[in-house]
Amino acid sequence: MNQSNHYPADFTWGVATSAFQIEGGANADGKGPSIWDTFCLNPNNIKDQSDGTVACDHYNRYREDVGLISSLGVDAYRFSMAWARVQPSGKGAWNEAGFGFYDRLLDELAAKDVKAHLTLYHWDLPQGLQDDGGWLNRDTAHRFADYAHEVARRFGNRIDAIATHNEPWCSANLGYGNAQFAPGVADARQAIQVSHHLLLSHGLAMTSMRAAASSAQLGIVLNQWTADPATGSELDRAMAELEYARSVQWFMDPIFKGRYPELALRAHGENAPVVHDGDMAAIAQPIDFLGVNYYFRSFCSAETPPRTPPGKLGFTDMGWEIYPQGLTELLVKLNAEYMLPPIYITENGMANPDAVSDGKVSDPARIAYVQMHLDALKAAMEQGVDVRGYFLWSLLDNFEWNSGYAKRFGIVHVDYETQARTLKDSAIWYRDFLSAQRQR
């Protein structure tokens, strides 16, 4: 890393996780089932036939895990709440025992002087709401706003930031578009309608949380990428333009411009979402921050078979091209296109086939990945993009959705048999990097 790349003194450094991926405690203390609990019941859905019943047992080991977080010297911890833990069916009575877990977690973070950045929804819809139609049912957006209000009312003055959704693109396109994620639907029209209801739920939740007089910064987290044509051909260029419109602009334009992008609407044709009067105004609520998750670019080839990305810097264990300059390009492009609030990089990291050897985990590829992306982030900041923080994904190896436990994103290795945690070299590097930042 370029050692001149020091960041503002008030820059927020963090690590991130999500509830279903680490908590376990699937049936503990009155928690209801989520769509991911249900999805995992079909062994064909998860590559290693595993589930999230125990995961990293964070529900029981949160004190140890907060101790790890504190030992790294980070400023903040980004985590999500399991909706079905605090409201088992997604409507009706609240589960005080479930809220009690998050109350204790927040106490522990405060005791270690670690700021809390909460995500309300990281893909684990209560199964009770799925039984009523899930995100395809417009009413779910209103139930989400009720949930958001209750969380903000209870905890809004103990949390620094609350994001409504994590990566609604994934909830819609992987959950409803190709059945890769829960609830396992493959229907393009449903996916597009679900994306609208997710955005609507975000807007309604922003309004309901503001009504709760929370002091937390409020926003949303979107996974984003540049869309690059594989060649200079007209077909590739058109494909890249449409890809960007259908992914990045599809979620950004409603929030910041109060409308869907025309190019994507035309492409969707009769699959375009049903939008009620007032929906776009509800979605376009001002937000205090934008969370951006960046892992790779989209490489658009209209050829058959499509050209593969060049991967000059290699590929992660997920098969994703390592392309740090895409982060600079994306942020500069967003900054030119929208009137943005402050940005946080809420996820960035890599899966790597890590193993413990002599009590240590050597992961030089991950260290290089993070260094390159931090350099790319600094380059965007130097071009005027207002970035306030960076959260490394992930704190722990965890349940990687339909990949099960086969993919390791953590900077802390987890032995799933014993639940032993081992700091990888990347965790030690991150700790030392942050210490050096503060000494400047």
Side-chain angles (χ1 to χ4, degrees), residues 48-300:
D48 62 1
Q49 287 81 53
S50 64
D51 58 45
T53 303
V54 177
C56 304
D57 196 29
H58 175 74
Y59 189 73
N60 295 307
R61 298 168 185 266
Y62 69 93
R63 286 191 177 88
E64 175 189 353
D65 291 339
V66 172
L68 278 176
I69 293 165
S70 176
S71 76
L72 296 173
V74 300
D75 304 299
Y77 173 48
R78 176 177 175 249
F79 62 99
S80 75
M81 185 175 285
W83 186 352
R85 194 177 294 289
V86 302
Q87 193 180 33
S89 66
K91 55 191 173 184
W94 304 106
N95 179 24
E96 294 303 328
F99 274 123
F101 168 70
Y102 297 106
D103 187 52
R104 295 189 297 275
L105 175 61
L106 289 171
D107 280 347
E108 199 71 18
L109 290 167
K112 299 289 190 183
D113 198 27
V114 177
K115 296 172 184 172
H117 286 232
L118 174 67
T119 305
L120 291 172
Y121 187 77
H122 200 125
W123 311 345
D124 49 352
L125 188 75
Q127 182 61 39
L129 290 181
Q130 186 63 36
D131 293 343
D132 292 339
W135 287 110
L136 194 60
N137 180 356
R138 184 183 171 89
D139 186 63
T140 300
H142 293 276
R143 301 291 71 73
F144 181 74
D146 294 344
Y147 159 56
H149 180 272
E150 184 66 13
V151 173
R153 185 187 71 79
R154 289 177 182 247
F155 297 137
N157 296 321
R158 298 168 61 192
I159 293 173
D160 275 68
I162 302 176
T164 52
H165 286 277
N166 178 78
E167 301 186 348
W169 181 95
C170 292
S171 298
N173 290 287
L174 305 184
Y176 282 85
N178 66 10
Q180 190 175 323
F181 284 3
V185 177
D187 185 306
R189 188 173 208 160
Q190 287 192 33
I192 294 162
Q193 188 64 48
V194 161
S195 70
H196 177 67
H197 290 161
L198 288 162
L199 281 163
L200 177 63
S201 76
H202 155 76
L204 295 175
M206 292 298 296
T207 302
S208 73
M209 287 192 289
R210 296 223 189 276
S214 157
S215 63
Q217 296 288 292
L218 305 178
I220 190 170
V221 171
L222 304 176
N223 54 317
Q224 302 189 324
W225 45 77
T226 56
D228 297 342
T231 72
S233 79
E234 194 61 45
L235 283 174
D236 285 358
R237 286 204 302 270
M239 187 178 182
E241 189 181 359
L242 179 57
E243 164 62 20
Y244 190 76
R246 290 170 59 170
S247 55
V248 175
Q249 291 173 328
W250 187 258
F251 291 93
M252 291 288 284
D253 281 15
I255 294 169
F256 293 105
K257 298 181 178 180
R259 63 178 187 265
Y260 284 112
E262 197 58 45
L263 179 63
L265 277 177
R266 282 202 311 272
H268 289 325
E270 60 185 26
N271 286 342
V274 175
V275 178
H276 292 199
D277 288 347
D279 282 5
M280 301 315 287
I283 293 167
Q285 298 298 308
I287 60 176
D288 301 321
F289 72 91
L290 173 67
V292 173
N293 293 354
Y294 177 81
Y295 290 100
F296 51 77
R297 65 171 170 172
S298 180
F299 190 72
C300 300

